[in-house]
Amino acid sequence: MKQLFVALALMAGLGAGFQDEKVPGLIAEFYSIGEGMEDFPTVDPERKPTLRRLDKQVNYESTPQAFAGTTLTDHFYARWTGFLKVPKDGKYTFFTESDDGSRLWIDDKQVVDNGGLHAMEEKSGEIELKAGDVPIKIDVFENEGEAGCKVSWEADGLPKEVIPEKAFLHRKDKDLDK
Ligand SMILES: [Ca+2]
Ligand SMILES: [Ca+2]
């Protein structure tokens, strides 16, 4: 009996270890919505994404064709989740430039609101951050026409740039990280 407990405790420990480990990239989830939208759709949390993959950054120029290596052209929703590596304490400005609407959250606080129907358009927001890893979420929806999404940051001593690959992490995923 004691051996069984030890085995279970070990398995639980290993499971947690795998999940806790952070590795480069963001988890990207794409949903085909199948009808026109004027703002962010509500996606059933139980619904499986049309496509789930890892993305190194969010840096997609506007295109009238399929978006970012997917087969989705119109009427879709995409979400990127993971962690942002904040290099040092300070005030950060985040920017999303998107077609159509996009939003950005840090640690469940919405920092950028760039919603609604529009061509490539940039909006920004500011937040005070401490050095370390903070949860980040970005989402975008595409109604019709062109679609694109680029996410940048800027801070004291950090000129505005598309957030680089090295700043994104996600918790190791059993399907995406083998
Ligand atoms: Ca389109
Ligand atoms: Ca569009």
Side-chain angles (χ1 to χ4, degrees):
M1 201 58 180
K2 195 174 165 196
Q3 278 151 336
L4 177 63
F5 281 130
V6 170
L8 285 174
L10 264 175
M11 282 164 66
L14 286 174
F18 183 86
Q19 299 253 310
D20 283 350
E21 194 183 338
K22 290 184 195 139
V23 288
L26 291 174
I27 295 178
E29 293 167 312
F30 297 87
Y31 294 86
S32 174
I33 301 299
E35 60 182 5
M37 293 168 273
E38 294 190 349
D39 217 331
F40 299 93
T42 306
V43 177
D44 185 335
E46 301 288 302
R47 190 180 156 192
K48 277 203 154 68
T50 310
L51 172 67
R52 191 163 181 270
R53 70 178 189 194
L54 295 178
D55 276 5
K56 289 177 173 166
Q57 41 179 185
V58 182
N59 186 16
Y60 299 109
E61 299 286 350
S62 183
T63 175
Q65 270 138 22
F67 181 78
T70 74
T71 57
L72 300 164
T73 51
D74 290 335
H75 307 154
F76 66 85
Y77 168 76
R79 172 168 68 206
W80 291 269
T81 53
F83 295 86
L84 179 75
K85 280 168 85 165
V86 177
K88 57 175 190 170
D89 294 7
K91 192 199 287 181
Y92 288 77
T93 306
F94 290 88
F95 307 81
T96 71
E97 185 184 3
S98 65
D99 176 342
D100 286 277
S102 58
R103 300 178 287 199
L104 181 147
W105 283 264
I106 302 277
D107 216 1
D108 286 338
K109 183 171 187 276
Q110 189 175 343
V111 180
V112 182
D113 176 2
N114 193 1
L117 295 175
H118 51 77
M120 280 305 256
E121 182 180 328
E122 187 176 79
K123 290 269 175 73
S124 65
E126 290 179 346
I127 186 171
E128 288 280 347
L129 294 174
K130 298 263 183 231
D133 301 343
V134 286
I136 186 168
K137 179 171 110 176
I138 300 144
D139 65 356
V140 61
F141 77 94
E142 156 66 348
N143 183 45
E144 289 167 2
E146 302 212 356
C149 189
K150 301 171 78 165
V151 178
S152 307
W153 66 354
E154 180 177 35
D156 254 2
L158 175 73
K160 185 181 171 188
E161 62 176 356
V162 172
I163 302 179
E165 295 178 28
K166 64 180 182 193
F168 289 129
L169 298 167
H170 67 281
R171 266 195 227 289
K172 222 168 178 185
D173 182 275
K174 66 177 169 53
D175 298 319
L176 302 175
D177 298 292
K178 301 284 185 186

